[in-house]
Amino acid sequence: MSRTRTVALPKDLYQRAFVESFKKLDPRVMMKNPVMFVVEIGFFITLLLTFAPNLFGGASDPFFNGVVSFILFVTILFANFAEALAEGRGKAQAESLKKTKQDTQAKKVGKDGRIQVVSSTELRKGDLVIVEAGELIPSDGEIVEGVASVDESAITGESAPVIKEAGGDFSSVTGGTRVVSDRIRVRVTTDPGESFLDRMISLVEGAKRQKTPNEIALNTLLVSLTLIFLIVCTTLQPIANYVNAAIPVATLIALLVCLIPTTIGGLLSAIGIAGMDRVTQFNVIAMSGKAVEASGDINTIILDKTGTITHGNRMAAEFVTVGNSKSMELNRVAAQSSVHDETPEGRSVVELAKKQGLASAELKLPGSEGVEFRAETRMSGTNLASGVLIRKGAVDAIKKYVVEQGGNIPADLDEKANRIATAGGTPLAVAEGNTILGLIYLKDTVKPGMRERFEELRRMGIRTVMCTGDNPLTAATIAREAGVDDFVAEAKPEDKIALIRKEQAAGKLVAMTGDGTNDAPALAQADVGLAMNTGTVAAKEAANMVDLDSDPTKIIEVVAIGKQLLMTRGALTTFSIANDVAKYFAIIPAMFMLAIPQMSALNIMGLATPQSAILSALIFNAIIIPILIPLAMKGVKYTPMSATKLLSRNLVIYGLGGILVPFVGIKLIDLILVGLNLV
Amino acid sequence: MDFLQIALVLVVLFVLAIPMGKYLARSFSLETTRLDRVFGGVEKAIYKLSGIRVADMTWKQYAMAVLVSNISMVAIAYLLLRLQGMLPGNPSGIAAMEPLLSFNTAVSFLTNTNLQHYSGESGLSYLSQMLVIIYLMFTTPATGIAVVMAFMRGLTGQRSIGNYYVDLVRAHTRVLIPLAIVVTLLLVTQGVPQTMEPTATATTISGTEQQIARGPVASLVSIKHLGTNGGGFFGVNSSHPFENPTPLTNVIEILSMFLIPAALPFAFGFMAKSRKQGWVIFGAMFAMFLAFLVTAYANEVNGNPALERAGLSQVMGSMEGKEVRFGIAQSALFTAVTTAATTGTVNNMHDTLTPLGGLVPLGEMMLNCVFGGDGVGTINILMYAILAVFLAGLMVGRTPEFLGRKIEGKEMKLIAIAILVHPLIILAPTAIALATEMGSSAVSNPGFHGISQVLYEYTSSAANNGSGFEGLGDNTPFWNISTGLVMLFGRYVSIITMLAVAGSLLAKTPVPETMGTLRTDNSVFTVILIATVVIVGALTFLPVLALGPIAEWLTIR
């Protein structure tokens, strides 16, 4: 179902990101990321010291200053590159979307009914346009007249055209999609620049990217850590002077840059963009990063039964004879009742009969005529050429019909019908003439694999609630079969919103999917509302995510992506902060070794010289950023398990790993520097 | 034997702290409890007399009440110190305290620091000892207990944050006064004086005349420890034989200063209706405490290598500055406890601890959450717990929550202020003092030890501990003003920001706990909590510690 949309060639992407990372060096841009901005200031100071070593009094080594300056420069570039790369993926997608947004000609219907050809940009809300086969739909709108098949591949990537028709839940069309057949009259619902496509482009482009609440909170922490280390480093100079252990400014800046959380500071926005991007690649458009973040926190998912949990079309599962009828007879009559019934339900009856040994010859009914289902009679059937009337329908309806025809009701009919209903099925009675032969057991089938998915969700601590219009008995059976935690039977649209409010009042975050106009209030109320692209404009407006594939089960993946986003952020923050331990052990002895030779006892990594120790730590600090870019982009691996297990696992990898990795890395870099005779 | 002594004290602490935690939780319950029948009468009379309305407060009202009451307290204290020469209760005829020293002293006792730039026996009248020192020694821990209760109510989602004045009164009637009476009597049985008689004059065997200072010592010493105050009646504090005459009084004093800080995590567990939660907080504090204690003991017992080289036997350990009646074990324990609980009382001179032994009190005060002072220590560790949840909580794929309440931008901003201020008010004045003549002239041992001395003074002020690396000539305008300011910031910034955090958390709808929720009541979280304290709280100070005690240790090895 879900395909990833094609993005620009990776090579092209890297090149563009490379150029972007230089553009981002502009201090006005850097200022938005305070952690990296501090690094940039450090870069400028050390750069000055390279050319004017005595700037701050006292001699300093211009070569060393130059090297520090260069490493800082590279550190900033790496961080910018990460961000640019993440943004680039979105931009590439936006561009492919923009191609579909060409300026199209629209046939506008004037007030006097005359057709006038105008540019699509001149269309305003409320205008009427006519679109014919082969033409692009000029703007988002609603079909007011006609039926057409529309190729929506520009947006969904799905090549099979979809049927759109006036009225009902399939009336909305999207600008930029192409009418393949027929002719429709469309009322424009958006002004230029505000269409769904426009919004999608700006979203994937990240033009209006706002920091999410958790990102802001984390940023606050990172800034305060940066300030703390700024205090540490600026106060260190006078304190060291007191014992005549003056520290060169470049060394002090190196210490500062190593201690402040540059790793997470450099990757934070890339993680956020990549998280949204992963959702997009999944063919889901999130209206904001906040929505993606919120999906990680979801406690309850409300799912519609039909179409989400079950296939939605009830299938014949069994024929149940009543009274004295023979099963072969029932088989035949049931099949004959459905010969003209082209609904999936009807077809499944014929199929079941065939499977149970009915000869195909019995189904050839020349001269017969189908009777369509009508709401008043609640029956359908076949009038045979012989004049015999075969009917199937709701048990009550058939009972009434048979009595009218002067027939009798078999004694075991009600009991057997109840048994089917209790088991969650729908009984349909079958009558030939005025005799009821038996029941068709219609069953709604749960999609394969749903049980496992709900089990997975339970392990993630998420409760699933099934909403259905079925009676409580049927609902309970399906709920049991699918393994959802709870269900609401005989649900009306108001019930859904009441349920969401109830859950939210208990502090839970709720996700739901929907497509109809009557789902719109609930979609808006939910913390994460995933609308189907095939749904109505109202539903899409109300939701904060739109699934282009219109696959309601995707909400589960969206939750996983949200969790992954938060986990990645947490893991890299932990890693970044844990790195400080090793950096301290590299730099502190190096800083004071000249003035206090005994400090070498703290040089537990056995780094060659003070200079190589400082440079190794600084180089490690820089290259860890590009090393972690793939992780930031792809996200930390997420397998559903309890929070405690998840935490222990990530804590070992990113916490303990964060303490140990730099010890190894710094030592390695030191060995290489020595090997290359650089220090 | 040393091990047994220390273990015994810690076991008794356990036995006392758990029921005490339960008692504290019940004493400050917003619901009616049986304790109301015992204390209710007296308390109602106090409310009536002082016009206290017992209605619930918002966090802002609560914080305002803390500030208003504390400003009144400091004003009273300052005036009394300035006027003590003219006031009664001054049998030894002690003159008024000069303005800057009065400021420093009043602030020092107001902030529960008890940094003493004066010497009690010669600087204060009996009236000042009682109306300034003992008075503030009750009200400031009571303030701390009140604030922690308000904070814990916010975290555990009680009905409201409470009423400051009710909490303040209850801290006196239900906790401090009853305990102080018991401890005072215990001390008196061990020979600690409690008298209004003036300084005694004795003739020594060699015939010279000796002035023996005395006074209402036992009552001061009891609350000095119970309230994690630390300001001694005498200049040499609890190493003075009248303040701490026997090993038994030493143990009583250790236990009384550790009792409330150690009981508060358990009180938190009771309030959160999760005893395990209490154990996790206590466990983290206790693990850090043990690490510090072992370091102190190991270094002191190994003696001072510099003195050994000079030919002084170090078989007994490093006994310089220690009382023979306590020995290494009771001295190391006392040192570890007094700076963990940020009491600041001393039974040995911290200036003469071995370099790494001296690192222990410094380190504990820098963390300021290894039990910590009455109330504030628990507030600090809970703040670190919120921080730990924020850092690690994301790793379970949810936005962080602590006890069912989401930790968001607002809380992080407030916590950021608190974690930022602590290193700022230690490191910035230390740098200024060392870089300027007005500061560095007070140092008695230049070099690495000088850094330790200055650093210790400000750390002790910031953590509201009050002990000193004596040896610093600190009764000068520079030191009186700078430490005074550091003490004020050290106390009130975290109190106000954390009350704001409590208010903000209390206003949130609690999130139900699920399988996907980060558990904060298991050993994994204990590890995360300790790691957060060490990495965020301690690594900040590593560079300066490297120049002070660590450099000193390395150079005398």
PDB file of all heavy atoms in Angstrom, chain B residues 95-107:
ATOM      1  N   ALA B  95      29.254  44.598  72.506  1.00  0.00           N
ATOM      2  CA  ALA B  95      28.861  45.810  71.779  1.00  0.00           C
ATOM      3  C   ALA B  95      28.035  45.467  70.538  1.00  0.00           C
ATOM      4  O   ALA B  95      27.952  44.312  70.129  1.00  0.00           O
ATOM      5  CB  ALA B  95      30.107  46.588  71.369  1.00  0.00           C
ATOM      6  N   ALA B  96      27.456  46.514  69.940  1.00  0.00           N
ATOM      7  CA  ALA B  96      26.658  46.340  68.729  1.00  0.00           C
ATOM      8  C   ALA B  96      27.525  45.794  67.609  1.00  0.00           C
ATOM      9  O   ALA B  96      28.727  46.068  67.529  1.00  0.00           O
ATOM     10  CB  ALA B  96      26.054  47.665  68.303  1.00  0.00           C
ATOM     11  N   MET B  97      26.882  45.035  66.721  1.00  0.00           N
ATOM     12  CA  MET B  97      27.624  44.487  65.590  1.00  0.00           C
ATOM     13  C   MET B  97      27.672  45.552  64.486  1.00  0.00           C
ATOM     14  O   MET B  97      26.706  46.285  64.293  1.00  0.00           O
ATOM     15  CB  MET B  97      26.905  43.246  65.085  1.00  0.00           C
ATOM     16  CG  MET B  97      27.775  42.328  64.276  1.00  0.00           C
ATOM     17  SD  MET B  97      26.828  40.908  63.718  1.00  0.00           S
ATOM     18  CE  MET B  97      27.420  39.640  64.806  1.00  0.00           C
ATOM     19  N   GLU B  98      28.790  45.641  63.779  1.00  0.00           N
ATOM     20  CA  GLU B  98      28.889  46.692  62.753  1.00  0.00           C
ATOM     21  C   GLU B  98      27.974  46.356  61.561  1.00  0.00           C
ATOM     22  O   GLU B  98      27.625  45.193  61.349  1.00  0.00           O
ATOM     23  CB  GLU B  98      30.353  46.900  62.343  1.00  0.00           C
ATOM     24  CG  GLU B  98      31.084  45.636  61.959  1.00  0.00           C
ATOM     25  CD  GLU B  98      31.416  45.593  60.494  1.00  0.00           C
ATOM     26  OE1 GLU B  98      30.860  46.407  59.735  1.00  0.00           O
ATOM     27  OE2 GLU B  98      32.215  44.727  60.099  1.00  0.00           O
ATOM     28  N   PRO B  99      27.576  47.389  60.766  1.00  0.00           N
ATOM     29  CA  PRO B  99      26.493  47.212  59.777  1.00  0.00           C
ATOM     30  C   PRO B  99      26.714  46.067  58.779  1.00  0.00           C
ATOM     31  O   PRO B  99      25.842  45.238  58.610  1.00  0.00           O
ATOM     32  CB  PRO B  99      26.447  48.560  59.052  1.00  0.00           C
ATOM     33  CG  PRO B  99      27.058  49.525  59.984  1.00  0.00           C
ATOM     34  CD  PRO B  99      28.024  48.789  60.836  1.00  0.00           C
ATOM     35  N   LEU B 100      27.874  46.013  58.113  1.00  0.00           N
ATOM     36  CA  LEU B 100      28.043  44.998  57.076  1.00  0.00           C
ATOM     37  C   LEU B 100      28.079  43.598  57.658  1.00  0.00           C
ATOM     38  O   LEU B 100      27.533  42.656  57.087  1.00  0.00           O
ATOM     39  CB  LEU B 100      29.319  45.268  56.277  1.00  0.00           C
ATOM     40  CG  LEU B 100      29.163  46.335  55.189  1.00  0.00           C
ATOM     41  CD1 LEU B 100      30.487  46.566  54.484  1.00  0.00           C
ATOM     42  CD2 LEU B 100      28.090  45.947  54.189  1.00  0.00           C
ATOM     43  N   LEU B 101      28.689  43.469  58.824  1.00  0.00           N
ATOM     44  CA  LEU B 101      28.735  42.157  59.463  1.00  0.00           C
ATOM     45  C   LEU B 101      27.323  41.769  59.914  1.00  0.00           C
ATOM     46  O   LEU B 101      26.925  40.607  59.831  1.00  0.00           O
ATOM     47  CB  LEU B 101      29.709  42.157  60.649  1.00  0.00           C
ATOM     48  CG  LEU B 101      29.936  40.804  61.313  1.00  0.00           C
ATOM     49  CD1 LEU B 101      30.447  39.765  60.326  1.00  0.00           C
ATOM     50  CD2 LEU B 101      30.919  40.923  62.486  1.00  0.00           C
ATOM     51  N   SER B 102      26.555  42.784  60.355  1.00  0.00           N
ATOM     52  CA  SER B 102      25.169  42.513  60.745  1.00  0.00           C
ATOM     53  C   SER B 102      24.363  42.041  59.551  1.00  0.00           C
ATOM     54  O   SER B 102      23.569  41.109  59.639  1.00  0.00           O
ATOM     55  CB  SER B 102      24.496  43.768  61.312  1.00  0.00           C
ATOM     56  OG  SER B 102      25.170  44.195  62.440  1.00  0.00           O
ATOM     57  N   PHE B 103      24.578  42.708  58.408  1.00  0.00           N
ATOM     58  CA  PHE B 103      23.895  42.296  57.172  1.00  0.00           C
ATOM     59  C   PHE B 103      24.234  40.847  56.858  1.00  0.00           C
ATOM     60  O   PHE B 103      23.371  40.005  56.643  1.00  0.00           O
ATOM     61  CB  PHE B 103      24.319  43.205  56.010  1.00  0.00           C
ATOM     62  CG  PHE B 103      24.074  42.634  54.639  1.00  0.00           C
ATOM     63  CD1 PHE B 103      22.782  42.577  54.124  1.00  0.00           C
ATOM     64  CD2 PHE B 103      25.126  42.145  53.871  1.00  0.00           C
ATOM     65  CE1 PHE B 103      22.555  42.035  52.861  1.00  0.00           C
ATOM     66  CE2 PHE B 103      24.897  41.603  52.612  1.00  0.00           C
ATOM     67  CZ  PHE B 103      23.612  41.546  52.111  1.00  0.00           C
ATOM     68  N   ASN B 104      25.556  40.569  56.878  1.00  0.00           N
ATOM     69  CA  ASN B 104      26.000  39.219  56.543  1.00  0.00           C
ATOM     70  C   ASN B 104      25.411  38.202  57.515  1.00  0.00           C
ATOM     71  O   ASN B 104      24.932  37.141  57.116  1.00  0.00           O
ATOM     72  CB  ASN B 104      27.532  39.176  56.562  1.00  0.00           C
ATOM     73  CG  ASN B 104      28.051  37.851  56.047  1.00  0.00           C
ATOM     74  OD1 ASN B 104      28.113  36.883  56.767  1.00  0.00           O
ATOM     75  ND2 ASN B 104      28.401  37.817  54.751  1.00  0.00           N
ATOM     76  N   THR B 105      25.434  38.543  58.794  1.00  0.00           N
ATOM     77  CA  THR B 105      24.963  37.596  59.809  1.00  0.00           C
ATOM     78  C   THR B 105      23.455  37.385  59.687  1.00  0.00           C
ATOM     79  O   THR B 105      22.973  36.250  59.704  1.00  0.00           O
ATOM     80  CB  THR B 105      25.317  38.115  61.212  1.00  0.00           C
ATOM     81  OG1 THR B 105      26.729  38.332  61.241  1.00  0.00           O
ATOM     82  CG2 THR B 105      24.930  37.126  62.280  1.00  0.00           C
ATOM     83  N   ALA B 106      22.711  38.492  59.551  1.00  0.00           N
ATOM     84  CA  ALA B 106      21.258  38.358  59.453  1.00  0.00           C
ATOM     85  C   ALA B 106      20.884  37.527  58.222  1.00  0.00           C
ATOM     86  O   ALA B 106      20.069  36.603  58.298  1.00  0.00           O
ATOM     87  CB  ALA B 106      20.613  39.740  59.377  1.00  0.00           C
ATOM     88  N   VAL B 107      21.522  37.846  57.082  1.00  0.00           N
ATOM     89  CA  VAL B 107      21.230  37.101  55.853  1.00  0.00           C
ATOM     90  C   VAL B 107      21.637  35.646  56.007  1.00  0.00           C
ATOM     91  O   VAL B 107      20.924  34.726  55.604  1.00  0.00           O
ATOM     92  CB  VAL B 107      21.960  37.742  54.653  1.00  0.00           C
ATOM     93  CG1 VAL B 107      22.009  36.795  53.472  1.00  0.00           C
ATOM     94  CG2 VAL B 107      21.279  39.043  54.262  1.00  0.00           C
TER      95      VAL B 107
END
